[in-house]
Amino acid sequence: MDTSMITNICKALSSPIRLEILQQLINGEKCACHLLDCFEITQPTLSHHMRVLCDCGLIQDRKAGKWHYYALERETLHQFGDFFVHMGTLNREAGSLCDCCGNGGHEDE
């Protein structure tokens, strides 16, 4: 997963309503009309949030007739989570000393 995709996902997740939408989709696919019932927002506002989530790859959109159905894109979520797991292991693997001064980046040491 490249940094551009990670940045787009972080931006998408900066909205509390979008986080709540993802929580609604944990148990499986939902129709837009059911999602709309969960929130006090208009249909165009929901569409905007869904577009942001689709564009960054966090959810899938399936159209059946005039209805839109949304589901989590679990592979993207796993890759996004793996990025942070990997970030957490880097410092332990590389050590904590700064290459230029050898003190771990703390000037008071």
Side-chain angles (χ1 to χ4, degrees):
M1 180 172 283
D2 66 21
T3 55
S4 175
M5 189 169 189
I6 291 166
T7 300
N8 289 337
I9 291 172
C10 289
K11 287 178 184 177
L13 296 178
S14 69
S15 165
I17 188 88
R18 289 194 283 267
L19 286 172
E20 291 179 36
I21 289 168
L22 292 178
Q23 289 176 324
Q24 290 293 319
L25 296 174
I26 286 173
N27 293 322
E29 183 180 76
K30 286 203 176 15
C31 177
C33 60
H34 289 107
L35 289 170
L36 196 56
D37 288 344
C38 297
F39 304 102
E40 293 181 18
I41 58 175
T42 64
Q43 187 277 325
T45 300
L46 178 66
S47 292
H48 166 74
H49 288 299
M50 301 314 280
R51 176 60 36 217
V52 170
L53 292 169
C54 282
D55 287 349
C56 72
L58 286 175
I59 63 172
Q60 310 169 20
D61 176 13
R62 179 177 67 83
K63 191 170 182 182
K66 66 178 185 172
W67 306 108
H68 284 263
Y69 294 86
Y70 297 97
L72 293 177
E73 181 54 69
R74 296 190 186 274
E75 183 58 32
T76 301
L77 288 167
H78 288 297
Q79 289 178 13
F80 184 66
D82 288 348
F83 170 80
F84 289 101
V85 169
H86 177 70
M87 292 293 289
T89 61
L90 287 179
N91 193 29
R92 283 181 278 188
E93 292 171 0
S96 60
L97 296 181
C98 178
D99 289 340
C100 65
C101 61
N103 71 6
H106 302 286
E107 291 187 30
D108 58 350
E109 290 181 357

XYZ file of all heavy atoms in Angstrom:
855
model
N 0.864 -1.175 0.000
C 0.000 0.000 0.000
C 0.903 1.229 0.000
O 1.747 1.375 0.868
C -0.907 -0.043 1.226
C -1.843 1.128 1.335
S -3.068 0.972 2.665
C -4.229 -0.158 1.925
N 0.708 2.114 -0.966
C 1.580 3.283 -1.065
C 1.103 4.413 -0.145
O -0.006 4.395 0.369
C 1.715 3.757 -2.513
C 0.417 4.288 -3.115
O -0.498 4.664 -2.360
O 0.327 4.338 -4.347
N 1.987 5.387 0.063
C 1.685 6.467 1.003
C 0.508 7.328 0.549
O -0.219 7.854 1.387
C 2.916 7.365 1.242
O 3.396 7.851 -0.010
C 4.018 6.604 1.955
N 0.310 7.451 -0.749
C -0.835 8.217 -1.248
C -2.153 7.559 -0.823
O -3.086 8.245 -0.389
C -0.758 8.319 -2.778
O -1.898 8.947 -3.284
N -2.214 6.250 -0.929
C -3.430 5.531 -0.525
C -3.647 5.635 0.989
O -4.763 5.853 1.450
C -3.352 4.072 -0.958
C -4.630 3.313 -0.777
S -4.522 1.725 -1.613
C -6.210 1.192 -1.477
N -2.568 5.522 1.743
C -2.666 5.634 3.201
C -3.148 7.034 3.582
O -4.006 7.194 4.450
C -1.317 5.299 3.868
C -1.032 3.811 3.680
C -1.316 5.666 5.341
C 0.374 3.392 3.976
N -2.604 8.043 2.913
C -3.026 9.422 3.176
C -4.513 9.601 2.884
O -5.242 10.212 3.685
C -2.199 10.409 2.318
O -0.824 10.255 2.644
C -2.626 11.838 2.570
N -4.987 9.076 1.766
C -6.412 9.190 1.413
C -7.299 8.477 2.424
O -8.370 8.978 2.777
C -6.659 8.655 0.004
C -6.096 9.572 -1.059
O -5.893 10.754 -0.834
N -5.819 9.018 -2.219
N -6.856 7.328 2.900
C -7.635 6.603 3.903
C -7.675 7.396 5.208
O -8.735 7.533 5.826
C -7.070 5.184 4.122
C -7.327 4.327 2.875
C -7.689 4.537 5.360
C -6.644 2.974 2.903
N -6.548 7.933 5.626
C -6.514 8.736 6.860
C -7.444 9.940 6.755
O -8.163 10.258 7.706
C -5.095 9.176 7.177
S -4.027 7.830 7.743
N -7.445 10.599 5.602
C -8.351 11.725 5.399
C -9.806 11.265 5.481
O -10.644 11.938 6.096
C -8.091 12.390 4.052
C -6.816 13.193 4.004
C -6.589 13.776 2.621
C -5.273 14.503 2.532
N -5.015 15.002 1.166
N -10.106 10.140 4.873
C -11.477 9.623 4.908
C -11.904 9.293 6.338
O -13.047 9.539 6.732
C -11.608 8.382 4.018
N -10.985 8.757 7.120
C -11.300 8.359 8.495
C -11.322 9.533 9.468
O -11.675 9.360 10.629
C -10.294 7.305 8.972
C -10.332 5.983 8.213
C -9.261 5.044 8.755
C -11.707 5.345 8.264
N -10.975 10.724 8.995
C -10.985 11.891 9.886
C -12.400 12.390 10.169
O -12.589 13.248 11.025
C -10.139 13.016 9.293
O -10.748 13.545 8.134
N -13.383 11.852 9.484
C -14.774 12.244 9.694
C -15.467 11.242 10.618
O -15.528 10.049 10.313
C -15.508 12.280 8.350
O -16.898 12.307 8.546
N -16.007 11.708 11.748
C -16.720 10.795 12.651
C -17.872 10.050 11.966
O -18.093 8.869 12.238
C -17.238 11.715 13.759
C -16.318 12.882 13.743
C -15.928 13.067 12.298
N -18.581 10.715 11.070
C -19.707 10.048 10.402
C -19.210 8.893 9.536
O -19.829 7.830 9.477
C -20.576 11.041 9.586
C -21.851 10.375 9.073
C -19.834 11.593 8.404
C -22.973 10.440 10.015
N -18.058 9.070 8.892
C -17.526 7.989 8.062
C -17.055 6.819 8.921
O -17.207 5.662 8.530
C -16.432 8.523 7.143
C -17.025 9.409 6.064
C -16.080 9.701 4.924
N -15.071 10.684 5.202
C -15.179 11.984 4.946
N -16.300 12.465 4.415
N -14.190 12.798 5.208
N -16.506 7.115 10.092
C -16.156 6.028 11.011
C -17.404 5.266 11.449
O -17.399 4.037 11.528
C -15.423 6.587 12.232
C -13.982 7.020 12.009
C -13.445 7.743 13.241
C -13.111 5.838 11.657
N -18.475 5.992 11.711
C -19.735 5.347 12.097
C -20.310 4.515 10.949
O -20.866 3.439 11.180
C -20.742 6.393 12.558
C -20.375 7.042 13.877
C -21.377 8.105 14.301
O -22.583 7.934 14.047
O -20.936 9.115 14.878
N -20.166 5.001 9.730
C -20.630 4.234 8.565
C -19.871 2.909 8.490
O -20.471 1.849 8.281
C -20.471 5.046 7.262
C -21.483 6.192 7.233
C -20.632 4.147 6.036
C -21.232 7.222 6.132
N -18.555 2.960 8.672
C -17.764 1.727 8.651
C -18.231 0.763 9.737
O -18.332 -0.440 9.499
C -16.274 2.033 8.810
C -15.611 2.769 7.656
C -14.146 3.039 7.976
C -15.743 2.006 6.351
N -18.536 1.296 10.915
C -19.038 0.438 11.996
C -20.361 -0.223 11.617
O -20.608 -1.377 11.965
C -19.193 1.230 13.289
C -17.856 1.598 13.905
C -18.012 2.468 15.135
O -18.900 3.316 15.213
N -17.136 2.262 16.105
N -21.211 0.507 10.908
C -22.490 -0.060 10.466
C -22.286 -1.204 9.480
O -23.129 -2.099 9.373
C -23.364 1.027 9.821
C -23.905 2.044 10.784
C -24.905 1.435 11.755
O -25.735 0.611 11.380
N -24.801 1.825 13.007
N -21.174 -1.173 8.758
C -20.922 -2.190 7.728
C -20.146 -3.400 8.242
O -19.912 -4.348 7.485
C -20.176 -1.555 6.548
C -20.945 -0.470 5.799
C -20.052 0.174 4.746
C -22.213 -1.038 5.169
N -19.778 -3.389 9.507
C -18.994 -4.497 10.066
C -19.711 -5.832 9.895
O -19.096 -6.843 9.577
C -18.653 -4.243 11.550
C -17.563 -3.191 11.644
C -18.211 -5.525 12.252
C -17.254 -2.736 13.053
N -21.005 -5.845 10.076
C -21.757 -7.099 10.016
C -22.225 -7.464 8.616
O -22.997 -8.401 8.450
C -22.954 -7.048 10.971
C -22.498 -7.007 12.415
O -21.525 -7.655 12.781
N -23.169 -6.210 13.221
N -21.782 -6.729 7.621
C -22.119 -7.093 6.252
C -22.703 -5.942 5.452
O -22.862 -4.819 5.928
N -23.016 -6.267 4.224
C -23.517 -5.299 3.251
C -24.821 -4.651 3.707
O -25.662 -5.293 4.309
C -23.736 -6.041 1.929
C -24.187 -5.185 0.796
C -24.377 -5.998 -0.473
O -25.400 -6.710 -0.559
O -23.501 -5.923 -1.343
N -24.936 -3.362 3.418
C -26.172 -2.631 3.742
C -26.560 -1.756 2.563
O -25.719 -1.195 1.860
C -25.967 -1.763 4.966
C -25.906 -2.535 6.272
C -26.267 -1.625 7.412
C -26.352 -2.242 8.755
N -25.841 -3.498 9.051
N -27.864 -1.610 2.387
C -28.421 -0.724 1.381
C -28.266 0.720 1.863
O -28.328 0.990 3.070
C -29.896 -1.054 1.185
S -30.730 0.024 0.012
N -28.082 1.636 0.922
C -27.942 3.053 1.274
C -29.139 3.543 2.086
O -28.970 4.344 3.014
C -27.769 3.896 0.022
N -30.330 3.059 1.762
C -31.511 3.524 2.499
C -31.458 3.098 3.969
O -31.875 3.846 4.845
C -32.794 3.044 1.831
S -32.973 1.266 1.706
N -30.895 1.918 4.253
C -30.749 1.484 5.642
C -29.687 2.303 6.364
O -29.845 2.635 7.539
C -30.420 -0.008 5.717
C -31.581 -0.878 5.355
N -31.641 -1.567 4.174
C -32.742 -1.127 6.001
C -32.783 -2.227 4.105
N -33.481 -1.966 5.199
N -28.618 2.636 5.664
C -27.595 3.494 6.265
C -28.159 4.870 6.561
O -27.891 5.453 7.612
C -26.379 3.608 5.349
C -25.517 2.357 5.232
C -24.502 2.507 4.110
C -24.830 2.058 6.557
N -28.960 5.376 5.645
C -29.552 6.701 5.821
C -30.435 6.747 7.070
O -30.455 7.750 7.790
C -30.354 7.070 4.578
C -30.725 8.533 4.398
C -29.491 9.418 4.430
C -31.474 8.727 3.101
N -31.127 5.654 7.359
C -31.971 5.583 8.553
C -31.162 5.655 9.850
O -31.694 6.019 10.889
C -32.788 4.282 8.552
C -33.891 4.288 7.516
O -34.241 5.377 7.010
O -34.389 3.185 7.187
N -29.881 5.316 9.780
C -29.031 5.300 10.978
C -28.498 6.677 11.348
O -27.989 6.867 12.455
C -27.844 4.370 10.758
S -28.278 2.647 10.512
N -28.582 7.619 10.427
C -27.962 8.921 10.636
C -28.948 10.040 10.364
O -29.878 9.882 9.591
C -26.742 9.078 9.703
C -25.733 7.983 9.870
C -25.662 6.944 8.959
C -24.864 7.979 10.948
C -24.745 5.924 9.109
C -23.937 6.963 11.112
C -23.874 5.931 10.194
N -28.714 11.169 10.974
C -29.546 12.344 10.746
C -28.890 13.232 9.691
O -28.473 14.357 9.971
C -29.754 13.105 12.055
C -30.569 12.332 13.060
C -30.800 13.106 14.338
O -30.638 14.344 14.357
O -31.127 12.463 15.339
N -28.791 12.684 8.484
C -28.193 13.408 7.371
C -29.076 13.218 6.141
O -29.916 12.318 6.099
C -26.756 12.929 7.064
C -26.729 11.430 6.750
C -25.815 13.271 8.203
C -25.370 10.909 6.318
N -28.860 14.049 5.151
C -29.634 13.944 3.915
C -29.011 12.893 3.002
O -27.854 12.498 3.176
C -29.669 15.292 3.176
O -28.333 15.616 2.784
C -30.254 16.391 4.058
N -29.776 12.487 2.014
C -29.283 11.498 1.051
C -28.061 12.017 0.287
O -27.083 11.276 0.129
C -30.418 11.081 0.105
C -30.065 9.944 -0.828
C -29.322 10.421 -2.069
O -29.585 11.502 -2.579
N -28.386 9.618 -2.529
N -28.043 13.289 -0.163
C -26.831 13.780 -0.834
C -25.590 13.780 0.075
O -24.486 13.501 -0.387
C -27.203 15.203 -1.253
C -28.689 15.190 -1.366
C -29.145 14.262 -0.262
N -25.792 14.064 1.354
C -24.672 14.037 2.296
C -24.153 12.613 2.464
O -22.945 12.378 2.467
C -25.082 14.637 3.653
O -25.501 15.983 3.442
C -23.946 14.603 4.652
N -25.069 11.646 2.584
C -24.652 10.245 2.671
C -23.896 9.849 1.403
O -22.851 9.205 1.476
C -25.848 9.317 2.886
C -25.488 7.820 2.927
C -24.630 7.502 4.146
C -26.737 6.968 2.897
N -24.411 10.247 0.247
C -23.744 9.920 -1.015
C -22.323 10.461 -1.053
O -21.400 9.790 -1.526
C -24.539 10.465 -2.200
O -25.755 9.774 -2.323
N -22.150 11.674 -0.562
C -20.807 12.258 -0.515
C -19.869 11.411 0.352
O -18.752 11.079 -0.061
C -20.867 13.688 0.022
C -19.516 14.217 0.400
N -18.579 14.606 -0.530
C -18.938 14.376 1.622
C -17.481 14.990 0.107
N -17.676 14.870 1.403
N -20.326 11.050 1.545
C -19.501 10.245 2.447
C -19.188 8.881 1.841
O -18.056 8.387 1.946
C -20.180 10.085 3.807
C -20.183 11.335 4.624
N -19.037 11.972 5.031
C -21.217 12.073 5.116
C -19.341 13.041 5.745
N -20.667 13.122 5.798
N -20.164 8.278 1.181
C -19.945 6.972 0.572
C -18.944 7.077 -0.575
O -18.104 6.188 -0.758
C -21.268 6.373 0.098
C -22.308 6.199 1.204
S -21.668 5.461 2.728
C -21.659 3.759 2.281
N -19.012 8.157 -1.329
C -18.064 8.364 -2.434
C -16.645 8.483 -1.897
O -15.712 7.900 -2.445
C -18.448 9.616 -3.239
C -17.508 10.003 -4.348
C -17.283 8.979 -5.452
N -18.443 8.211 -5.800
C -18.423 6.903 -6.130
N -17.296 6.235 -6.184
N -19.532 6.261 -6.426
N -16.458 9.217 -0.803
C -15.130 9.360 -0.193
C -14.604 7.999 0.247
O -13.452 7.642 -0.009
C -15.168 10.356 0.994
C -13.857 10.335 1.777
C -15.484 11.763 0.506
N -15.465 7.212 0.885
C -15.061 5.884 1.358
C -14.772 4.930 0.199
O -13.841 4.117 0.270
C -16.125 5.304 2.288
C -16.270 6.020 3.637
C -17.521 5.561 4.369
C -15.024 5.816 4.495
N -15.557 5.028 -0.865
C -15.317 4.198 -2.058
C -14.022 4.604 -2.749
O -13.222 3.749 -3.144
C -16.470 4.327 -3.050
S -17.944 3.400 -2.636
N -13.816 5.905 -2.892
C -12.644 6.403 -3.621
C -11.326 5.995 -2.973
O -10.329 5.800 -3.666
C -12.692 7.926 -3.768
C -13.730 8.384 -4.785
O -14.275 7.539 -5.530
O -14.004 9.605 -4.826
N -11.306 5.873 -1.655
C -10.067 5.473 -1.002
C -9.982 3.954 -0.827
O -8.996 3.453 -0.286
C -9.891 6.187 0.336
S -10.990 5.637 1.634
N -11.001 3.236 -1.281
C -10.947 1.780 -1.277
C -11.410 1.096 -0.013
O -11.245 -0.103 0.140
N -12.019 1.847 0.929
C -12.461 1.231 2.182
C -13.768 0.463 2.057
O -14.029 -0.443 2.844
C -12.598 2.294 3.272
C -11.294 2.817 3.850
C -11.560 3.947 4.826
C -10.503 1.698 4.519
N -14.594 0.854 1.096
C -15.860 0.149 0.890
C -16.070 -0.133 -0.592
O -15.458 0.498 -1.454
C -17.079 0.912 1.459
C -17.272 2.251 0.747
C -16.964 1.082 2.963
C -18.567 2.949 1.130
N -16.949 -1.089 -0.855
C -17.365 -1.439 -2.207
C -18.797 -0.970 -2.410
O -19.596 -0.996 -1.478
C -17.377 -2.953 -2.411
C -16.157 -3.686 -2.010
C -16.405 -5.180 -2.015
O -17.325 -5.687 -2.639
N -15.567 -5.908 -1.298
N -19.099 -0.594 -3.608
C -20.448 -0.162 -3.979
C -20.977 -1.140 -5.024
O -20.324 -1.382 -6.035
C -20.384 1.259 -4.543
C -21.721 1.781 -5.055
O -22.768 1.167 -4.770
O -21.703 2.816 -5.734
N -22.135 -1.709 -4.731
C -22.780 -2.606 -5.687
C -24.150 -2.036 -6.004
O -24.926 -1.733 -5.102
C -22.924 -4.010 -5.084
C -23.616 -5.004 -5.993
C -23.653 -6.390 -5.365
N -24.488 -6.466 -4.179
C -25.820 -6.635 -4.184
N -26.483 -6.712 -5.317
N -26.487 -6.714 -3.045
N -24.432 -1.852 -7.274
C -25.718 -1.298 -7.671
C -26.619 -2.428 -8.170
O -26.201 -3.252 -8.972
C -25.540 -0.235 -8.752
C -26.794 0.546 -9.017
C -26.539 1.736 -9.909
C -27.859 2.484 -10.075
N -27.764 3.624 -10.948
N -27.839 -2.448 -7.669
C -28.846 -3.416 -8.105
C -30.119 -2.626 -8.398
O -30.805 -2.179 -7.483
C -29.090 -4.474 -7.029
N -30.380 -2.391 -9.688
C -31.501 -1.537 -10.056
C -31.204 -0.121 -9.633
O -30.143 0.418 -9.926
N -32.126 0.468 -8.904
C -31.893 1.842 -8.430
C -31.253 1.898 -7.049
O -30.988 2.972 -6.540
C -33.204 2.633 -8.435
C -34.246 2.148 -7.455
C -35.482 3.020 -7.515
C -36.481 2.606 -6.451
N -37.583 3.533 -6.349
N -30.997 0.756 -6.468
C -30.451 0.702 -5.111
C -28.946 0.519 -5.120
O -28.395 -0.211 -5.940
C -31.097 -0.441 -4.323
C -32.592 -0.362 -4.322
C -33.453 -1.171 -4.992
C -33.395 0.604 -3.643
N -34.745 -0.779 -4.770
C -34.741 0.314 -3.944
C -33.117 1.682 -2.811
C -35.797 1.063 -3.445
C -34.169 2.426 -2.310
C -35.480 2.110 -2.627
N -28.286 1.153 -4.148
C -26.850 0.969 -3.937
C -26.646 0.191 -2.652
O -27.265 0.492 -1.627
C -26.131 2.321 -3.813
C -25.942 3.007 -5.112
N -24.780 2.928 -5.824
C -26.769 3.793 -5.844
C -24.886 3.633 -6.929
N -26.093 4.172 -6.965
N -25.784 -0.795 -2.723
C -25.433 -1.605 -1.563
C -23.949 -1.417 -1.287
O -23.130 -1.421 -2.209
C -25.740 -3.080 -1.818
C -27.209 -3.353 -1.972
C -27.830 -3.224 -3.215
C -27.979 -3.714 -0.880
C -29.197 -3.455 -3.361
C -29.343 -3.945 -1.012
C -29.943 -3.809 -2.251
O -31.284 -4.038 -2.393
N -23.617 -1.273 -0.008
C -22.241 -1.001 0.380
C -21.738 -2.081 1.328
O -22.483 -2.582 2.171
C -22.134 0.364 1.054
C -22.515 1.497 0.132
C -23.801 2.045 0.161
C -21.601 2.015 -0.771
C -24.155 3.080 -0.689
C -21.945 3.050 -1.631
C -23.224 3.573 -1.580
O -23.568 4.589 -2.424
N -20.463 -2.410 1.172
C -19.822 -3.401 2.042
C -18.375 -2.971 2.269
O -17.782 -2.249 1.456
C -19.862 -4.783 1.400
N -17.818 -3.420 3.378
C -16.416 -3.135 3.665
C -15.526 -3.824 2.642
O -15.819 -4.943 2.206
C -16.041 -3.648 5.060
C -16.687 -2.952 6.249
C -16.260 -3.650 7.536
C -16.313 -1.481 6.288
N -14.465 -3.171 2.281
C -13.417 -3.767 1.447
C -12.362 -4.272 2.422
O -11.433 -3.560 2.799
C -12.857 -2.738 0.473
C -11.785 -3.264 -0.440
C -12.206 -4.494 -1.223
O -13.068 -4.385 -2.104
O -11.652 -5.574 -0.925
N -12.539 -5.496 2.867
C -11.729 -6.035 3.962
C -10.240 -6.120 3.633
O -9.399 -5.901 4.500
C -12.284 -7.378 4.417
C -13.687 -7.199 5.004
C -14.212 -8.438 5.699
N -15.596 -8.239 6.093
C -15.970 -7.664 7.236
N -15.074 -7.216 8.072
N -17.251 -7.528 7.531
N -9.901 -6.396 2.386
C -8.488 -6.478 2.020
C -7.792 -5.128 2.226
O -6.679 -5.068 2.744
C -8.327 -6.950 0.573
C -6.883 -7.118 0.148
C -6.074 -8.092 1.002
O -6.635 -9.074 1.523
O -4.863 -7.849 1.159
N -8.450 -4.056 1.842
C -7.882 -2.723 2.058
C -7.722 -2.442 3.548
O -6.693 -1.911 3.985
C -8.769 -1.636 1.411
O -8.877 -1.903 0.020
C -8.202 -0.242 1.624
N -8.733 -2.804 4.336
C -8.645 -2.600 5.785
C -7.486 -3.389 6.389
O -6.764 -2.878 7.246
C -9.964 -2.985 6.452
C -11.123 -2.026 6.205
C -12.437 -2.654 6.634
C -10.887 -0.708 6.920
N -7.294 -4.622 5.927
C -6.179 -5.430 6.431
C -4.836 -4.801 6.056
O -3.931 -4.721 6.889
C -6.252 -6.864 5.903
C -7.342 -7.669 6.515
N -7.396 -7.972 7.862
C -8.434 -8.236 5.967
C -8.476 -8.690 8.113
N -9.128 -8.852 6.980
N -4.702 -4.350 4.814
C -3.451 -3.718 4.385
C -3.186 -2.432 5.165
O -2.040 -2.149 5.538
C -3.499 -3.421 2.890
C -3.420 -4.645 2.025
C -3.531 -4.303 0.541
O -3.437 -3.144 0.148
N -3.743 -5.310 -0.283
N -4.226 -1.668 5.408
C -4.095 -0.425 6.171
C -3.633 -0.734 7.595
O -2.718 -0.099 8.120
C -5.429 0.324 6.167
C -5.406 1.658 6.845
C -4.657 2.704 6.339
C -6.159 1.884 7.989
C -4.643 3.951 6.951
C -6.158 3.126 8.605
C -5.396 4.154 8.089
N -4.248 -1.714 8.214
C -3.837 -2.128 9.557
C -2.411 -2.660 9.579
O -1.632 -2.358 10.490
N -2.055 -3.442 8.553
C -0.700 -3.993 8.469
C 0.353 -2.890 8.383
O 1.453 -3.033 8.904
C -0.563 -4.924 7.259
C -1.291 -6.247 7.452
O -1.704 -6.554 8.593
O -1.456 -6.968 6.446
N 0.012 -1.792 7.716
C 0.938 -0.669 7.623
C 1.328 -0.187 9.016
O 2.503 0.031 9.310
C 0.310 0.472 6.811
C 1.092 1.753 6.863
C 2.211 1.929 6.073
C 0.715 2.780 7.722
C 2.952 3.112 6.126
C 1.439 3.959 7.773
C 2.557 4.123 6.979
N 0.348 -0.054 9.901
C 0.627 0.442 11.245
C 1.317 -0.609 12.113
O 2.155 -0.277 12.945
C -0.644 0.978 11.903
C -1.096 2.257 11.271
C -2.133 2.268 10.349
C -0.448 3.452 11.546
C -2.528 3.443 9.734
C -0.831 4.629 10.941
C -1.881 4.619 10.024
N 0.984 -1.860 11.905
C 1.692 -2.923 12.615
C 3.165 -2.886 12.219
O 4.057 -2.954 13.068
C 1.065 -4.308 12.308
C 1.946 -5.428 12.820
C -0.332 -4.386 12.911
N 3.415 -2.740 10.923
C 4.785 -2.661 10.429
C 5.509 -1.446 11.011
O 6.672 -1.533 11.411
C 4.791 -2.606 8.895
C 6.145 -2.464 8.307
N 7.079 -3.471 8.333
C 6.733 -1.418 7.670
C 8.195 -3.052 7.750
N 8.007 -1.807 7.337
N 4.830 -0.308 11.068
C 5.432 0.900 11.637
C 5.824 0.673 13.101
O 6.851 1.159 13.554
C 4.464 2.088 11.545
C 4.206 2.567 10.143
S 5.638 3.304 9.363
C 5.739 4.815 10.273
N 5.014 -0.065 13.813
C 5.296 -0.329 15.220
C 6.496 -1.226 15.437
O 7.143 -1.170 16.487
N 6.827 -2.048 14.463
C 7.963 -2.953 14.613
C 9.264 -2.338 14.117
O 10.337 -2.823 14.458
C 7.728 -4.274 13.859
O 7.578 -3.999 12.464
C 6.508 -5.002 14.390
N 9.204 -1.262 13.337
C 10.416 -0.675 12.766
C 11.392 -0.195 13.821
O 12.581 -0.457 13.744
C 10.064 0.482 11.828
C 9.458 0.079 10.498
C 9.134 1.334 9.684
C 10.385 -0.822 9.710
N 10.921 0.529 14.812
C 11.808 1.092 15.825
C 12.513 -0.013 16.615
O 13.685 0.090 16.924
C 11.036 2.016 16.763
C 11.969 2.865 17.610
O 13.070 3.186 17.199
N 11.514 3.216 18.797
N 11.815 -1.071 16.917
C 12.420 -2.172 17.666
C 13.480 -2.881 16.838
O 14.504 -3.293 17.350
C 11.360 -3.156 18.129
C 10.590 -2.654 19.328
C 9.595 -3.662 19.737
N 8.462 -3.431 18.833
C 7.299 -4.004 18.943
N 7.096 -4.876 19.866
N 6.326 -3.731 18.123
N 13.214 -3.038 15.533
C 14.168 -3.724 14.673
C 15.392 -2.860 14.395
O 16.512 -3.335 14.341
C 13.505 -4.106 13.348
C 12.444 -5.179 13.512
C 11.646 -5.402 12.233
O 11.918 -4.719 11.226
O 10.754 -6.256 12.252
N 15.203 -1.573 14.189
C 16.298 -0.690 13.801
C 17.077 -0.169 15.000
O 18.166 0.353 14.844
C 15.745 0.491 13.000
N 16.543 -0.298 16.185
C 17.168 0.307 17.352
C 16.647 1.717 17.513
O 15.919 2.222 16.679
N 17.035 2.362 18.582
C 16.483 3.688 18.835
C 17.520 4.802 18.759
O 17.244 5.920 19.116
C 15.807 3.696 20.207
O 16.757 3.384 21.195
N 18.738 4.492 18.318
C 19.765 5.520 18.255
C 19.681 6.288 16.947
O 19.499 5.728 15.886
C 21.158 4.914 18.403
C 21.449 4.251 19.746
C 22.867 3.711 19.761
C 21.253 5.234 20.884
N 19.872 7.578 17.043
C 19.887 8.463 15.879
C 21.233 8.308 15.168
O 22.285 8.298 15.818
C 19.673 9.904 16.344
S 19.718 11.104 15.008
N 21.226 8.175 13.855
C 22.466 8.008 13.092
C 23.406 9.199 13.230
O 24.617 9.045 13.244
C 22.152 7.789 11.607
C 21.535 6.433 11.344
O 21.676 5.529 12.193
O 20.896 6.277 10.283
N 22.870 10.414 13.322
C 23.737 11.593 13.310
C 24.360 11.898 14.669
O 25.479 12.369 14.749
C 22.991 12.810 12.772
S 21.625 13.327 13.806
N 23.654 11.627 15.750
C 24.199 11.998 17.057
C 24.275 10.829 18.036
O 24.866 10.949 19.093
C 23.394 13.142 17.664
S 21.669 12.729 17.940
N 23.625 9.722 17.700
C 23.716 8.531 18.527
C 22.937 8.564 19.819
O 23.081 7.707 20.658
N 22.038 9.557 19.993
C 21.322 9.620 21.282
C 19.836 9.363 21.163
O 19.101 9.675 22.079
C 21.594 10.950 21.977
C 20.910 12.133 21.300
O 20.143 11.964 20.365
N 21.201 13.322 21.777
N 19.368 8.835 20.062
C 17.952 8.538 19.941
C 17.099 9.752 19.662
O 15.894 9.703 19.826
N 17.728 10.853 19.284
C 16.962 12.041 18.929
C 16.606 12.926 20.090
O 15.906 13.900 19.946
N 17.091 12.611 21.282
C 16.801 13.424 22.475
C 18.030 14.277 22.783
O 19.076 13.761 23.166
C 16.438 12.546 23.675
C 15.267 11.671 23.415
N 13.981 12.160 23.366
C 15.182 10.350 23.156
C 13.157 11.153 23.107
N 13.859 10.043 22.964
N 17.908 15.570 22.674
C 19.057 16.463 22.852
C 19.531 16.532 24.302
O 20.666 16.860 24.568
C 18.709 17.861 22.356
C 18.541 17.900 20.854
C 18.356 19.305 20.331
O 18.898 20.242 20.947
O 17.653 19.454 19.320
N 18.667 16.172 25.247
C 19.059 16.290 26.648
C 19.772 15.050 27.175
O 20.095 14.977 28.334
C 17.851 16.652 27.516
C 16.721 15.640 27.409
O 16.803 14.758 26.519
O 15.776 15.716 28.197
N 20.024 14.077 26.346
C 20.699 12.862 26.807
C 22.192 12.994 26.720
O 22.760 13.598 25.899
C 20.242 11.657 25.983
C 18.820 11.285 26.278
C 18.375 10.067 25.469
O 19.137 9.537 24.651
O 17.247 9.655 25.677
